[in-house]
Amino acid sequence: MASQEVSVSSEYGIEGDVVVRMTDISFAYQSKKLFSNLDLEIRRGNIYGLLGKNGAGKTTLLKLLSGQLFVQGGSVEVFAQNPQKRTPSLLQEIFYLPEEFPLPKMKATEYLAMLSPFYPRFDHTMFGVYCKDFDVDLNQRLDQMSLGQKKKVLLSFGLASNTALLILDEPTNGLDIPSKRQFRQTVASAMTENRTFIISTHQVRDMENLIDPIIILHDGSVIFNDTVASVSDKYVLNLTTSEPSKEHALYTEKVLGGWMVLSERGEGSEGQPLDLETLFNVVIQTSKGTMGGVR
Amino acid sequence: MNRLLALLKREWKTGQKDYSTYGLVIVLLLFAFETMQSLVARYAGSSFPMEVYSEMFPGFLLLGGFITTSLLFSEDMFSKDAQHTWLMLPATNLEKFVSKALISTLVYPIAVTLLFFLASVITEPIQLLIFGSPIGLFNPFKDNELGSLLAQYWVWNSVFLLGATFFRKAHFVKTVLAVGVVFLGLGALALLFTRIVFAIKFGSSLQMFDSFMYFDSRYLQDSLTALKVFSGITKVFYYAVLPVFCLVTAYFRVEEVQATDAV
């Protein structure tokens, strides 16, 4: 489970550092069952990465915990409140950036003046700083911006709103290469011990060194919710030129010039740092019970 | 209170362009109608138009208002792309509903009345200069028609507000159809009621003589008193119970949509 322990009593009225607690939840879209008996705990002061295959239910999970969708069984608590009630006190602590969204026909400055009063701790100075960092023209009309520019405006708004929980669904989709780097820097600089980010993404390379712990959704449940470091402590990743034996390898992948092999860490064994893509593949393969994995 | 003001501001800002376009259309239409009538009056020798504003005012107040009201919730509550913003907006359901209800019930009629007056202030001097037509500013208080119109607007706007929250698409048309169906049903019930209560009269060969009886001064006073009581009850129901019922039901509908998931 998550690493940083923040023992101080929260200003948001929660005991301890649990931000989100989902217990035994089930959810289905009409006849298509998506989650059953899903448990999840998210702790304060972390940037969580939510990973999963297409259709695994990442966006649905984010909507469930932000109260946009309702669970059909089990319970969800966000800051010790039921998000389904959508109380203003809870909603002003949550900022949700969807993957796709329409924005009204107005300038960014007008958008700011229209919505910032809803967030009591909104920081107008920081909004300007974030927009400058992202190279966003505040006088341009929102409906004339590209998807990437719109995301930068909303992201700047979300960060400046100073909400305790930021939920970002595929935030780097549509961002150009320099903006992805800027995104990582900005999110890292906006992080405080009282904030929590949940970032759903397929672009794991964009999020490398930013998201940790990692939550992996698969087959309707959370199959992994831990730090990369905890996996690195137990396992080691090596590059070999000869084909590894199935007995010792937990996961193997054919790469250029040899095989990438994940095996249990022995005394004094050293290897390469575990990247998110490999971690994801390992977890998915392990959950299927096919040790040895992709060849 | 701050949140309500912020919501009202949001309502105005998001609809600003549409409201401005609508206002401009009203001004241009008024100007065009006034000009056409002045032209005809100037060259055909008929009298100059004096009633253009008061003739067009009820149409824009009622029909325009009902269409505007019908569209109030369509984006925020029923558009899958946009409803996320509405759902996640930190405000109570009551505040969200009241902000929209205030816009349609209070702000719209005041704005249209002021717009008509301003349009007449702009149009009339131009007509005077070009055609020599006498100044006839829009006076909403003339003949005490404004109060009656606003009362009708208050009643029917609440019905269309309910329709706006109840139907997911084609709010205006569906509300009109629903009102039509309700009237047909009520008409049929009234017919049935009349047929049952006055069954003896319908069956009697002396109907004509029965009806003459009511014109007798001894019965007429009783009938008129009963009618006045009935009329009073109907007015209370029409102007107070019906709109309040529609507004409360519309609020509960917003609650219901907010209390279910948006999919």
Side-chain angles (χ1 to χ4, degrees), chain A residues 66 68-70 86 88 91-92 94 96 98 102 106 110 113-115 118, chain B residues 3 6 9-10 13 81 84 87-92 258-259 261-263:
Chain A
S66 61
Q68 293 178 65
L69 290 177
F70 289 5
R86 298 193 193 106
L91 289 176
Q92 63 196 20
I94 301 175
Y96 181 91
M106 59 177 68
E110 293 173 311
M114 184 177 82
L115 288 184
F118 290 100
Chain B
R3 276 205 304 262
K9 189 178 172 185
R10 178 185 175 269
K13 291 298 284 182
D81 293 329
H84 134 266
L87 286 175
M88 297 302 290
L89 205 60
T92 62
Q258 293 269 313
D261 54 42
V263 175

PDB file of all heavy atoms in Angstrom, chain A residues 66 68-70 86 88 91-92 94 96 98 102 106 110 113-115 118, chain B residues 3 6 9-10 13 81 84 87-92 258-259 261-263:
ATOM      1  N   SER A  66     -15.897   9.823  -7.991  1.00  0.00           N
ATOM      2  CA  SER A  66     -16.214  11.261  -7.963  1.00  0.00           C
ATOM      3  C   SER A  66     -17.719  11.498  -7.868  1.00  0.00           C
ATOM      4  O   SER A  66     -18.170  12.640  -7.870  1.00  0.00           O
ATOM      5  CB  SER A  66     -15.652  11.953  -9.209  1.00  0.00           C
ATOM      6  OG  SER A  66     -16.229  11.414 -10.375  1.00  0.00           O
ATOM      7  N   GLN A  68     -20.094  10.667  -9.994  1.00  0.00           N
ATOM      8  CA  GLN A  68     -20.843  10.859 -11.244  1.00  0.00           C
ATOM      9  C   GLN A  68     -21.622   9.609 -11.617  1.00  0.00           C
ATOM     10  O   GLN A  68     -22.616   9.678 -12.327  1.00  0.00           O
ATOM     11  CB  GLN A  68     -19.891  11.234 -12.378  1.00  0.00           C
ATOM     12  CG  GLN A  68     -19.249  12.584 -12.188  1.00  0.00           C
ATOM     13  CD  GLN A  68     -18.278  12.897 -13.291  1.00  0.00           C
ATOM     14  OE1 GLN A  68     -18.640  13.049 -14.437  1.00  0.00           O
ATOM     15  NE2 GLN A  68     -17.010  12.978 -12.952  1.00  0.00           N
ATOM     16  N   LEU A  69     -21.127   8.477 -11.194  1.00  0.00           N
ATOM     17  CA  LEU A  69     -21.851   7.214 -11.355  1.00  0.00           C
ATOM     18  C   LEU A  69     -22.079   6.634  -9.965  1.00  0.00           C
ATOM     19  O   LEU A  69     -21.320   6.920  -9.038  1.00  0.00           O
ATOM     20  CB  LEU A  69     -21.045   6.226 -12.199  1.00  0.00           C
ATOM     21  CG  LEU A  69     -20.874   6.530 -13.676  1.00  0.00           C
ATOM     22  CD1 LEU A  69     -19.984   5.478 -14.327  1.00  0.00           C
ATOM     23  CD2 LEU A  69     -22.199   6.565 -14.390  1.00  0.00           C
ATOM     24  N   PHE A  70     -23.117   5.818  -9.861  1.00  0.00           N
ATOM     25  CA  PHE A  70     -23.452   5.252  -8.553  1.00  0.00           C
ATOM     26  C   PHE A  70     -23.152   3.755  -8.528  1.00  0.00           C
ATOM     27  O   PHE A  70     -23.498   3.046  -9.483  1.00  0.00           O
ATOM     28  CB  PHE A  70     -24.942   5.460  -8.253  1.00  0.00           C
ATOM     29  CG  PHE A  70     -25.306   6.891  -7.964  1.00  0.00           C
ATOM     30  CD1 PHE A  70     -24.376   7.905  -8.080  1.00  0.00           C
ATOM     31  CD2 PHE A  70     -26.589   7.218  -7.575  1.00  0.00           C
ATOM     32  CE1 PHE A  70     -24.699   9.225  -7.823  1.00  0.00           C
ATOM     33  CE2 PHE A  70     -26.936   8.534  -7.310  1.00  0.00           C
ATOM     34  CZ  PHE A  70     -25.989   9.533  -7.438  1.00  0.00           C
ATOM     35  N   ARG A  86     -23.097  14.256  -3.582  1.00  0.00           N
ATOM     36  CA  ARG A  86     -22.572  15.446  -4.261  1.00  0.00           C
ATOM     37  C   ARG A  86     -22.786  16.719  -3.444  1.00  0.00           C
ATOM     38  O   ARG A  86     -23.350  17.705  -3.927  1.00  0.00           O
ATOM     39  CB  ARG A  86     -23.218  15.605  -5.645  1.00  0.00           C
ATOM     40  CG  ARG A  86     -22.943  14.468  -6.584  1.00  0.00           C
ATOM     41  CD  ARG A  86     -23.315  14.814  -7.990  1.00  0.00           C
ATOM     42  NE  ARG A  86     -23.346  13.647  -8.834  1.00  0.00           N
ATOM     43  CZ  ARG A  86     -24.461  13.090  -9.272  1.00  0.00           C
ATOM     44  NH1 ARG A  86     -25.625  13.609  -8.984  1.00  0.00           N
ATOM     45  NH2 ARG A  86     -24.409  12.010 -10.012  1.00  0.00           N
ATOM     46  N   PRO A  88     -21.860  20.202  -1.784  1.00  0.00           N
ATOM     47  CA  PRO A  88     -20.911  21.244  -2.203  1.00  0.00           C
ATOM     48  C   PRO A  88     -19.591  21.169  -1.451  1.00  0.00           C
ATOM     49  O   PRO A  88     -18.532  21.393  -2.030  1.00  0.00           O
ATOM     50  CB  PRO A  88     -21.647  22.543  -1.886  1.00  0.00           C
ATOM     51  CG  PRO A  88     -23.081  22.189  -1.894  1.00  0.00           C
ATOM     52  CD  PRO A  88     -23.167  20.772  -1.415  1.00  0.00           C
ATOM     53  N   LEU A  91     -17.686  18.479  -3.185  1.00  0.00           N
ATOM     54  CA  LEU A  91     -17.374  18.802  -4.579  1.00  0.00           C
ATOM     55  C   LEU A  91     -16.319  19.897  -4.706  1.00  0.00           C
ATOM     56  O   LEU A  91     -15.572  19.920  -5.677  1.00  0.00           O
ATOM     57  CB  LEU A  91     -18.654  19.222  -5.323  1.00  0.00           C
ATOM     58  CG  LEU A  91     -19.655  18.094  -5.597  1.00  0.00           C
ATOM     59  CD1 LEU A  91     -20.909  18.635  -6.252  1.00  0.00           C
ATOM     60  CD2 LEU A  91     -19.045  17.008  -6.468  1.00  0.00           C
ATOM     61  N   GLN A  92     -16.254  20.788  -3.713  1.00  0.00           N
ATOM     62  CA  GLN A  92     -15.227  21.819  -3.816  1.00  0.00           C
ATOM     63  C   GLN A  92     -13.845  21.309  -3.397  1.00  0.00           C
ATOM     64  O   GLN A  92     -12.873  22.045  -3.444  1.00  0.00           O
ATOM     65  CB  GLN A  92     -15.630  23.089  -3.062  1.00  0.00           C
ATOM     66  CG  GLN A  92     -15.803  22.947  -1.589  1.00  0.00           C
ATOM     67  CD  GLN A  92     -16.566  24.142  -0.999  1.00  0.00           C
ATOM     68  OE1 GLN A  92     -17.266  24.867  -1.706  1.00  0.00           O
ATOM     69  NE2 GLN A  92     -16.436  24.350   0.282  1.00  0.00           N
ATOM     70  N   ILE A  94     -12.924  18.310  -4.882  1.00  0.00           N
ATOM     71  CA  ILE A  94     -12.603  17.380  -5.968  1.00  0.00           C
ATOM     72  C   ILE A  94     -12.552  18.147  -7.285  1.00  0.00           C
ATOM     73  O   ILE A  94     -13.482  18.885  -7.619  1.00  0.00           O
ATOM     74  CB  ILE A  94     -13.677  16.264  -6.089  1.00  0.00           C
ATOM     75  CG1 ILE A  94     -13.791  15.480  -4.786  1.00  0.00           C
ATOM     76  CG2 ILE A  94     -13.351  15.334  -7.246  1.00  0.00           C
ATOM     77  CD1 ILE A  94     -14.916  14.446  -4.803  1.00  0.00           C
ATOM     78  N   TYR A  96     -12.187  17.201 -11.305  1.00  0.00           N
ATOM     79  CA  TYR A  96     -12.177  16.064 -12.229  1.00  0.00           C
ATOM     80  C   TYR A  96     -11.909  16.576 -13.638  1.00  0.00           C
ATOM     81  O   TYR A  96     -12.666  17.397 -14.157  1.00  0.00           O
ATOM     82  CB  TYR A  96     -13.541  15.369 -12.155  1.00  0.00           C
ATOM     83  CG  TYR A  96     -13.669  14.146 -13.036  1.00  0.00           C
ATOM     84  CD1 TYR A  96     -13.352  12.883 -12.548  1.00  0.00           C
ATOM     85  CD2 TYR A  96     -14.119  14.242 -14.342  1.00  0.00           C
ATOM     86  CE1 TYR A  96     -13.465  11.771 -13.353  1.00  0.00           C
ATOM     87  CE2 TYR A  96     -14.241  13.127 -15.148  1.00  0.00           C
ATOM     88  CZ  TYR A  96     -13.912  11.888 -14.650  1.00  0.00           C
ATOM     89  OH  TYR A  96     -14.030  10.777 -15.453  1.00  0.00           O
ATOM     90  N   PRO A  98     -11.964  15.347 -17.259  1.00  0.00           N
ATOM     91  CA  PRO A  98     -12.324  14.201 -18.098  1.00  0.00           C
ATOM     92  C   PRO A  98     -11.412  14.087 -19.317  1.00  0.00           C
ATOM     93  O   PRO A  98     -10.701  15.042 -19.649  1.00  0.00           O
ATOM     94  CB  PRO A  98     -13.760  14.511 -18.524  1.00  0.00           C
ATOM     95  CG  PRO A  98     -14.004  15.924 -18.236  1.00  0.00           C
ATOM     96  CD  PRO A  98     -12.888  16.460 -17.401  1.00  0.00           C
ATOM     97  N   PRO A 102     -16.507  19.354 -23.538  1.00  0.00           N
ATOM     98  CA  PRO A 102     -16.745  20.604 -24.266  1.00  0.00           C
ATOM     99  C   PRO A 102     -16.493  21.791 -23.339  1.00  0.00           C
ATOM    100  O   PRO A 102     -16.663  21.675 -22.129  1.00  0.00           O
ATOM    101  CB  PRO A 102     -18.241  20.495 -24.605  1.00  0.00           C
ATOM    102  CG  PRO A 102     -18.817  19.671 -23.509  1.00  0.00           C
ATOM    103  CD  PRO A 102     -17.727  18.836 -22.916  1.00  0.00           C
ATOM    104  N   MET A 106     -16.214  31.052 -24.793  1.00  0.00           N
ATOM    105  CA  MET A 106     -15.749  32.253 -24.087  1.00  0.00           C
ATOM    106  C   MET A 106     -14.235  32.197 -23.933  1.00  0.00           C
ATOM    107  O   MET A 106     -13.608  31.165 -24.199  1.00  0.00           O
ATOM    108  CB  MET A 106     -16.419  32.359 -22.713  1.00  0.00           C
ATOM    109  CG  MET A 106     -16.169  31.187 -21.802  1.00  0.00           C
ATOM    110  SD  MET A 106     -16.899  31.378 -20.181  1.00  0.00           S
ATOM    111  CE  MET A 106     -18.638  31.304 -20.538  1.00  0.00           C
ATOM    112  N   GLU A 110     -12.663  34.663 -18.937  1.00  0.00           N
ATOM    113  CA  GLU A 110     -14.092  34.682 -18.578  1.00  0.00           C
ATOM    114  C   GLU A 110     -14.476  33.375 -17.879  1.00  0.00           C
ATOM    115  O   GLU A 110     -15.257  33.370 -16.923  1.00  0.00           O
ATOM    116  CB  GLU A 110     -14.949  34.876 -19.828  1.00  0.00           C
ATOM    117  CG  GLU A 110     -14.781  36.244 -20.461  1.00  0.00           C
ATOM    118  CD  GLU A 110     -15.496  36.361 -21.796  1.00  0.00           C
ATOM    119  OE1 GLU A 110     -15.322  35.453 -22.647  1.00  0.00           O
ATOM    120  OE2 GLU A 110     -16.205  37.341 -21.998  1.00  0.00           O
ATOM    121  N   ALA A 113     -13.299  33.611 -14.355  1.00  0.00           N
ATOM    122  CA  ALA A 113     -14.167  34.470 -13.534  1.00  0.00           C
ATOM    123  C   ALA A 113     -15.504  33.788 -13.232  1.00  0.00           C
ATOM    124  O   ALA A 113     -16.102  34.007 -12.185  1.00  0.00           O
ATOM    125  CB  ALA A 113     -14.409  35.787 -14.266  1.00  0.00           C
ATOM    126  N   MET A 114     -15.943  32.931 -14.155  1.00  0.00           N
ATOM    127  CA  MET A 114     -17.241  32.264 -13.999  1.00  0.00           C
ATOM    128  C   MET A 114     -17.185  31.119 -12.982  1.00  0.00           C
ATOM    129  O   MET A 114     -18.113  30.953 -12.180  1.00  0.00           O
ATOM    130  CB  MET A 114     -17.668  31.721 -15.370  1.00  0.00           C
ATOM    131  CG  MET A 114     -19.024  31.090 -15.412  1.00  0.00           C
ATOM    132  SD  MET A 114     -19.440  30.579 -17.072  1.00  0.00           S
ATOM    133  CE  MET A 114     -18.595  29.007 -17.198  1.00  0.00           C
ATOM    134  N   LEU A 115     -16.112  30.341 -13.008  1.00  0.00           N
ATOM    135  CA  LEU A 115     -16.092  29.124 -12.175  1.00  0.00           C
ATOM    136  C   LEU A 115     -15.223  29.186 -10.922  1.00  0.00           C
ATOM    137  O   LEU A 115     -15.423  28.413  -9.988  1.00  0.00           O
ATOM    138  CB  LEU A 115     -15.670  27.916 -13.021  1.00  0.00           C
ATOM    139  CG  LEU A 115     -16.716  27.427 -14.029  1.00  0.00           C
ATOM    140  CD1 LEU A 115     -16.221  26.174 -14.737  1.00  0.00           C
ATOM    141  CD2 LEU A 115     -18.058  27.133 -13.378  1.00  0.00           C
ATOM    142  N   PHE A 118     -16.533  29.100  -7.192  1.00  0.00           N
ATOM    143  CA  PHE A 118     -17.045  27.859  -6.589  1.00  0.00           C
ATOM    144  C   PHE A 118     -15.973  27.146  -5.752  1.00  0.00           C
ATOM    145  O   PHE A 118     -16.290  26.226  -5.007  1.00  0.00           O
ATOM    146  CB  PHE A 118     -17.550  26.899  -7.679  1.00  0.00           C
ATOM    147  CG  PHE A 118     -18.816  27.384  -8.339  1.00  0.00           C
ATOM    148  CD1 PHE A 118     -18.782  28.010  -9.561  1.00  0.00           C
ATOM    149  CD2 PHE A 118     -20.044  27.225  -7.712  1.00  0.00           C
ATOM    150  CE1 PHE A 118     -19.945  28.474 -10.166  1.00  0.00           C
ATOM    151  CE2 PHE A 118     -21.213  27.676  -8.307  1.00  0.00           C
ATOM    152  CZ  PHE A 118     -21.166  28.300  -9.532  1.00  0.00           C
TER     153      PHE A 118
ATOM    154  N   ARG B   3     -22.835  31.345  -3.672  1.00  0.00           N
ATOM    155  CA  ARG B   3     -22.882  30.290  -4.686  1.00  0.00           C
ATOM    156  C   ARG B   3     -24.024  30.537  -5.656  1.00  0.00           C
ATOM    157  O   ARG B   3     -23.883  30.320  -6.861  1.00  0.00           O
ATOM    158  CB  ARG B   3     -23.035  28.927  -4.013  1.00  0.00           C
ATOM    159  CG  ARG B   3     -21.731  28.315  -3.545  1.00  0.00           C
ATOM    160  CD  ARG B   3     -21.847  26.813  -3.475  1.00  0.00           C
ATOM    161  NE  ARG B   3     -22.927  26.397  -2.628  1.00  0.00           N
ATOM    162  CZ  ARG B   3     -22.776  26.016  -1.351  1.00  0.00           C
ATOM    163  NH1 ARG B   3     -21.585  26.027  -0.793  1.00  0.00           N
ATOM    164  NH2 ARG B   3     -23.804  25.621  -0.637  1.00  0.00           N
ATOM    165  N   ALA B   6     -23.006  33.142  -7.969  1.00  0.00           N
ATOM    166  CA  ALA B   6     -22.042  32.577  -8.918  1.00  0.00           C
ATOM    167  C   ALA B   6     -22.758  31.734  -9.971  1.00  0.00           C
ATOM    168  O   ALA B   6     -22.394  31.748 -11.152  1.00  0.00           O
ATOM    169  CB  ALA B   6     -21.016  31.737  -8.169  1.00  0.00           C
ATOM    170  N   LYS B   9     -24.465  34.036 -12.389  1.00  0.00           N
ATOM    171  CA  LYS B   9     -23.445  34.584 -13.281  1.00  0.00           C
ATOM    172  C   LYS B   9     -23.067  33.551 -14.346  1.00  0.00           C
ATOM    173  O   LYS B   9     -22.923  33.880 -15.525  1.00  0.00           O
ATOM    174  CB  LYS B   9     -22.206  34.960 -12.452  1.00  0.00           C
ATOM    175  CG  LYS B   9     -21.162  35.725 -13.216  1.00  0.00           C
ATOM    176  CD  LYS B   9     -20.020  36.088 -12.275  1.00  0.00           C
ATOM    177  CE  LYS B   9     -18.863  36.686 -13.030  1.00  0.00           C
ATOM    178  NZ  LYS B   9     -17.713  36.926 -12.144  1.00  0.00           N
ATOM    179  N   ARG B  10     -22.955  32.297 -13.907  1.00  0.00           N
ATOM    180  CA  ARG B  10     -22.632  31.230 -14.844  1.00  0.00           C
ATOM    181  C   ARG B  10     -23.725  31.076 -15.893  1.00  0.00           C
ATOM    182  O   ARG B  10     -23.443  30.907 -17.087  1.00  0.00           O
ATOM    183  CB  ARG B  10     -22.458  29.905 -14.069  1.00  0.00           C
ATOM    184  CG  ARG B  10     -22.166  28.721 -14.955  1.00  0.00           C
ATOM    185  CD  ARG B  10     -22.113  27.419 -14.180  1.00  0.00           C
ATOM    186  NE  ARG B  10     -21.958  26.310 -15.088  1.00  0.00           N
ATOM    187  CZ  ARG B  10     -22.952  25.636 -15.619  1.00  0.00           C
ATOM    188  NH1 ARG B  10     -24.208  25.953 -15.333  1.00  0.00           N
ATOM    189  NH2 ARG B  10     -22.733  24.647 -16.457  1.00  0.00           N
ATOM    190  N   LYS B  13     -23.331  33.937 -18.309  1.00  0.00           N
ATOM    191  CA  LYS B  13     -22.131  33.860 -19.127  1.00  0.00           C
ATOM    192  C   LYS B  13     -22.218  32.755 -20.174  1.00  0.00           C
ATOM    193  O   LYS B  13     -21.802  32.946 -21.312  1.00  0.00           O
ATOM    194  CB  LYS B  13     -20.885  33.617 -18.246  1.00  0.00           C
ATOM    195  CG  LYS B  13     -20.496  34.763 -17.358  1.00  0.00           C
ATOM    196  CD  LYS B  13     -20.122  36.011 -18.101  1.00  0.00           C
ATOM    197  CE  LYS B  13     -18.761  35.967 -18.732  1.00  0.00           C
ATOM    198  NZ  LYS B  13     -18.429  37.252 -19.410  1.00  0.00           N
ATOM    199  N   ASP B  81     -22.147  15.064 -22.993  1.00  0.00           N
ATOM    200  CA  ASP B  81     -20.825  15.706 -23.047  1.00  0.00           C
ATOM    201  C   ASP B  81     -20.684  16.771 -21.963  1.00  0.00           C
ATOM    202  O   ASP B  81     -19.615  16.958 -21.404  1.00  0.00           O
ATOM    203  CB  ASP B  81     -20.618  16.370 -24.421  1.00  0.00           C
ATOM    204  CG  ASP B  81     -20.519  15.341 -25.522  1.00  0.00           C
ATOM    205  OD1 ASP B  81     -20.027  14.237 -25.233  1.00  0.00           O
ATOM    206  OD2 ASP B  81     -20.946  15.628 -26.653  1.00  0.00           O
ATOM    207  N   HIS B  84     -21.171  16.554 -17.106  1.00  0.00           N
ATOM    208  CA  HIS B  84     -20.127  16.349 -16.101  1.00  0.00           C
ATOM    209  C   HIS B  84     -19.856  17.647 -15.342  1.00  0.00           C
ATOM    210  O   HIS B  84     -19.708  17.660 -14.117  1.00  0.00           O
ATOM    211  CB  HIS B  84     -18.871  15.804 -16.789  1.00  0.00           C
ATOM    212  CG  HIS B  84     -17.620  16.479 -16.368  1.00  0.00           C
ATOM    213  ND1 HIS B  84     -17.096  17.541 -17.060  1.00  0.00           N
ATOM    214  CD2 HIS B  84     -16.833  16.292 -15.295  1.00  0.00           C
ATOM    215  CE1 HIS B  84     -16.020  17.954 -16.424  1.00  0.00           C
ATOM    216  NE2 HIS B  84     -15.834  17.214 -15.371  1.00  0.00           N
ATOM    217  N   LEU B  87     -22.767  18.304 -12.975  1.00  0.00           N
ATOM    218  CA  LEU B  87     -22.770  17.367 -11.848  1.00  0.00           C
ATOM    219  C   LEU B  87     -21.685  17.701 -10.833  1.00  0.00           C
ATOM    220  O   LEU B  87     -21.891  17.592  -9.631  1.00  0.00           O
ATOM    221  CB  LEU B  87     -22.552  15.932 -12.344  1.00  0.00           C
ATOM    222  CG  LEU B  87     -23.708  15.245 -13.053  1.00  0.00           C
ATOM    223  CD1 LEU B  87     -23.259  13.891 -13.586  1.00  0.00           C
ATOM    224  CD2 LEU B  87     -24.889  15.060 -12.129  1.00  0.00           C
ATOM    225  N   MET B  88     -20.531  18.115 -11.339  1.00  0.00           N
ATOM    226  CA  MET B  88     -19.390  18.332 -10.452  1.00  0.00           C
ATOM    227  C   MET B  88     -19.312  19.766  -9.918  1.00  0.00           C
ATOM    228  O   MET B  88     -18.379  20.099  -9.185  1.00  0.00           O
ATOM    229  CB  MET B  88     -18.076  17.986 -11.179  1.00  0.00           C
ATOM    230  CG  MET B  88     -17.935  16.534 -11.599  1.00  0.00           C
ATOM    231  SD  MET B  88     -18.050  15.385 -10.230  1.00  0.00           S
ATOM    232  CE  MET B  88     -16.527  15.699  -9.362  1.00  0.00           C
ATOM    233  N   LEU B  89     -20.258  20.594 -10.316  1.00  0.00           N
ATOM    234  CA  LEU B  89     -20.257  21.982  -9.845  1.00  0.00           C
ATOM    235  C   LEU B  89     -20.572  22.023  -8.344  1.00  0.00           C
ATOM    236  O   LEU B  89     -21.608  21.500  -7.916  1.00  0.00           O
ATOM    237  CB  LEU B  89     -21.330  22.748 -10.624  1.00  0.00           C
ATOM    238  CG  LEU B  89     -21.161  24.248 -10.779  1.00  0.00           C
ATOM    239  CD1 LEU B  89     -19.870  24.582 -11.505  1.00  0.00           C
ATOM    240  CD2 LEU B  89     -22.340  24.820 -11.539  1.00  0.00           C
ATOM    241  N   PRO B  90     -19.693  22.622  -7.545  1.00  0.00           N
ATOM    242  CA  PRO B  90     -19.937  22.615  -6.100  1.00  0.00           C
ATOM    243  C   PRO B  90     -21.094  23.536  -5.684  1.00  0.00           C
ATOM    244  O   PRO B  90     -20.897  24.672  -5.282  1.00  0.00           O
ATOM    245  CB  PRO B  90     -18.608  23.115  -5.510  1.00  0.00           C
ATOM    246  CG  PRO B  90     -17.625  23.027  -6.605  1.00  0.00           C
ATOM    247  CD  PRO B  90     -18.388  23.217  -7.864  1.00  0.00           C
ATOM    248  N   ALA B  91     -22.303  23.034  -5.807  1.00  0.00           N
ATOM    249  CA  ALA B  91     -23.501  23.774  -5.386  1.00  0.00           C
ATOM    250  C   ALA B  91     -24.592  22.749  -5.094  1.00  0.00           C
ATOM    251  O   ALA B  91     -24.550  21.627  -5.611  1.00  0.00           O
ATOM    252  CB  ALA B  91     -23.951  24.721  -6.478  1.00  0.00           C
ATOM    253  N   THR B  92     -25.571  23.156  -4.276  1.00  0.00           N
ATOM    254  CA  THR B  92     -26.644  22.203  -3.968  1.00  0.00           C
ATOM    255  C   THR B  92     -27.611  22.121  -5.155  1.00  0.00           C
ATOM    256  O   THR B  92     -27.649  23.023  -6.005  1.00  0.00           O
ATOM    257  CB  THR B  92     -27.431  22.643  -2.722  1.00  0.00           C
ATOM    258  OG1 THR B  92     -28.039  23.901  -3.020  1.00  0.00           O
ATOM    259  CG2 THR B  92     -26.536  22.788  -1.510  1.00  0.00           C
ATOM    260  N   GLN B 258     -30.200  14.285 -10.455  1.00  0.00           N
ATOM    261  CA  GLN B 258     -28.919  14.399  -9.747  1.00  0.00           C
ATOM    262  C   GLN B 258     -28.674  13.191  -8.838  1.00  0.00           C
ATOM    263  O   GLN B 258     -27.535  12.866  -8.543  1.00  0.00           O
ATOM    264  CB  GLN B 258     -28.923  15.659  -8.885  1.00  0.00           C
ATOM    265  CG  GLN B 258     -28.938  16.946  -9.680  1.00  0.00           C
ATOM    266  CD  GLN B 258     -27.557  17.470  -9.985  1.00  0.00           C
ATOM    267  OE1 GLN B 258     -26.717  17.531  -9.109  1.00  0.00           O
ATOM    268  NE2 GLN B 258     -27.309  17.814 -11.214  1.00  0.00           N
ATOM    269  N   ALA B 259     -29.764  12.588  -8.398  1.00  0.00           N
ATOM    270  CA  ALA B 259     -29.625  11.479  -7.460  1.00  0.00           C
ATOM    271  C   ALA B 259     -29.507  10.132  -8.160  1.00  0.00           C
ATOM    272  O   ALA B 259     -29.431   9.103  -7.516  1.00  0.00           O
ATOM    273  CB  ALA B 259     -30.803  11.448  -6.507  1.00  0.00           C
ATOM    274  N   ASP B 261     -27.353   8.115 -11.443  1.00  0.00           N
ATOM    275  CA  ASP B 261     -26.140   8.383 -12.190  1.00  0.00           C
ATOM    276  C   ASP B 261     -26.490   8.910 -13.569  1.00  0.00           C
ATOM    277  O   ASP B 261     -27.602   8.766 -14.053  1.00  0.00           O
ATOM    278  CB  ASP B 261     -25.220   7.169 -12.250  1.00  0.00           C
ATOM    279  CG  ASP B 261     -25.905   5.948 -12.760  1.00  0.00           C
ATOM    280  OD1 ASP B 261     -26.666   6.060 -13.731  1.00  0.00           O
ATOM    281  OD2 ASP B 261     -25.690   4.886 -12.188  1.00  0.00           O
ATOM    282  N   ALA B 262     -25.517   9.573 -14.146  1.00  0.00           N
ATOM    283  CA  ALA B 262     -25.785  10.365 -15.336  1.00  0.00           C
ATOM    284  C   ALA B 262     -25.872   9.551 -16.619  1.00  0.00           C
ATOM    285  O   ALA B 262     -26.191  10.081 -17.669  1.00  0.00           O
ATOM    286  CB  ALA B 262     -24.703  11.414 -15.465  1.00  0.00           C
ATOM    287  N   VAL B 263     -25.587   8.285 -16.546  1.00  0.00           N
ATOM    288  CA  VAL B 263     -25.556   7.476 -17.774  1.00  0.00           C
ATOM    289  C   VAL B 263     -26.975   7.160 -18.235  1.00  0.00           C
ATOM    290  O   VAL B 263     -27.779   6.729 -17.428  1.00  0.00           O
ATOM    291  CB  VAL B 263     -24.784   6.174 -17.527  1.00  0.00           C
ATOM    292  CG1 VAL B 263     -24.846   5.279 -18.751  1.00  0.00           C
ATOM    293  CG2 VAL B 263     -23.341   6.481 -17.225  1.00  0.00           C
TER     294      VAL B 263
END
